[in-house]
């Protein structure tokens, strides 16, 4: 396989999520791609530029939310990534809800929401990385099939290159494809 050198920069794929926090008592959301798992524990990280309005809120409250928008929310999602709550309020863009802890706003319109409690944070370059324990998680009823989260109904977006991509089709099953390959090698 011939390889060509390409520019050194994070390329993706990245998940498309909206990070939420209350700032001065009002909801604010920022689009982020820097979000992911760190282990098998229910802990996720987000990485937020230190100067973002949302970052102030996460530091103020010690909590943040992760909201997974559907592909049909692409415009509002991108908007949250180009406009700062410092200049323009994003407080009423969505219908926000809180769980009984009331520590970070979540977006009703997003099919999946997770409330995370900051358990560790660290500065990294000009960003702040927050590790958040998931303390509650919600799904829209219509995003479930037989009581389980249905990826196709959620239709999340992935960032790669200059585009948002939707989910497409399942191409294999977790922990099963490798077993099939293993068997094929044994013959
Ligand atoms: C596609 C996309 C991905 C982004 N990913 C991140 C990210 O991972 N971390 C981050 O701090 N900002 C990221 N941003 C930038 C923030 O969303 C943006 O600066 C936003 O206006 C910050 O809002 P705030 O100041 O109200 O918090 C991204 C923006 C876009 C459009």
């Amino acid at each position: 396989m011939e390889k060509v050198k390409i520019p050194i920069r994070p390329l993706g794929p990245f998940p498309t999520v909206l990070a939420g926090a209350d700032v001065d008592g009002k909801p604010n959301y920022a689009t982020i791609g820097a979000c992911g798992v760190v282990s098998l524990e229910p802990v996720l990280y987000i990485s937020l530029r230190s100067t973002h309005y949302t970052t102030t809120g996460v530091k103020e409250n010690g909590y943040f939310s992760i909201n997974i928008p559907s592909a049909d929310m692409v415009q509002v999602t991108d908007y949250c990534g180009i406009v700062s709550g410092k200049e323009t309020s994003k407080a009423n863009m969505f219908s926000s809800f809180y769980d009984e802890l009331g520590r970070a706003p979540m977006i009703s319109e997003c099919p999946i929401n997770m409330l995370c409690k900051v358990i560790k944070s660290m500065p990294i370059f000009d960003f702040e990385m927050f590790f958040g324990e998931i303390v509650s998680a919600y799904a829209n009823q219509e995003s479930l099939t037989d009581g389980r989260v249905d990826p196709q109904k959620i239709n999340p977006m992935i960032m790669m290159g200059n585009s948002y991509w939707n989910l497409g089709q399942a191409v294999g099953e977790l922990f099963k494809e490798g077993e099939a390959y293993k068997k094929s090698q044994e013959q």
Side-chain angles (χ1 to χ4, degrees):
M1 239 170 260
E2 194 191 343
K3 291 280 182 188
V4 291
K5 283 199 187 265
I6 58 172
I8 298 171
R9 66 179 178 92
L11 181 68
F14 307 117
T16 304
V17 307
L18 288 160
D22 271 342
V23 191
D24 292 335
K26 289 206 181 116
N28 193 68
Y29 302 101
T31 308
I32 62 166
C35 171
V37 287
V38 292
S39 76
L40 284 180
E41 296 300 314
V43 172
L44 298 173
Y45 79 86
I46 59 171
S47 204
L48 284 175
R49 192 180 282 278
S50 313
T51 51
H52 285 347
Y53 200 52
T54 312
T55 315
T56 316
V58 179
K59 286 185 166 170
E60 253 177 37
N61 299 292
Y63 281 78
F64 60 86
S65 68
I66 293 178
N67 305 273
I68 303 181
S70 292
D72 61 6
M73 294 176 69
V74 66
Q75 286 198 344
V76 279
T77 300
D78 197 55
Y79 177 85
C80 287
I82 57 176
V83 167
S84 174
K86 271 187 251 177
E87 284 100 37
T88 308
S89 174
K90 295 181 257 184
N92 298 318
M93 275 192 67
F94 305 103
S95 143
S96 294
F97 74 98
Y98 295 81
D99 75 354
E100 55 281 1
L101 282 174
R103 301 301 293 268
M106 292 177 269
I107 301 175
S108 299
E109 291 86 342
C110 287
I112 300 286
N113 319 93
M114 286 169 274
L115 178 67
C116 298
K117 179 180 193 246
V118 177
I119 54 166
K120 195 177 171 60
S121 67
M122 57 183 266
I124 181 90
F125 307 112
D126 49 351
F127 280 61
E128 191 77 23
M129 205 168 168
F130 297 102
F131 296 87
E133 179 187 351
I134 306 168
V135 291
S136 54
Y138 297 87
N140 285 359
Q141 183 68 48
E142 58 271 23
S143 304
L144 306 179
T145 298
D146 299 330
R148 300 182 72 164
V149 165
D150 185 327
Q152 279 193 312
K153 289 183 179 170
I154 291 160
N155 200 19
M157 289 177 277
I158 290 158
M159 301 170 187
M160 191 164 182
N162 290 327
S163 302
Y164 296 100
W165 301 84
N166 68 8
L167 193 60
Q169 299 299 311
V171 293
E173 280 195 67
L174 272 57
F175 303 110
K176 293 206 175 142
E177 303 306 323
E179 289 300 335
Y181 179 74
K182 204 197 255 179
K183 268 203 189 110
S184 75
Q185 296 303 296
E186 286 162 3
Q187 280 151 21

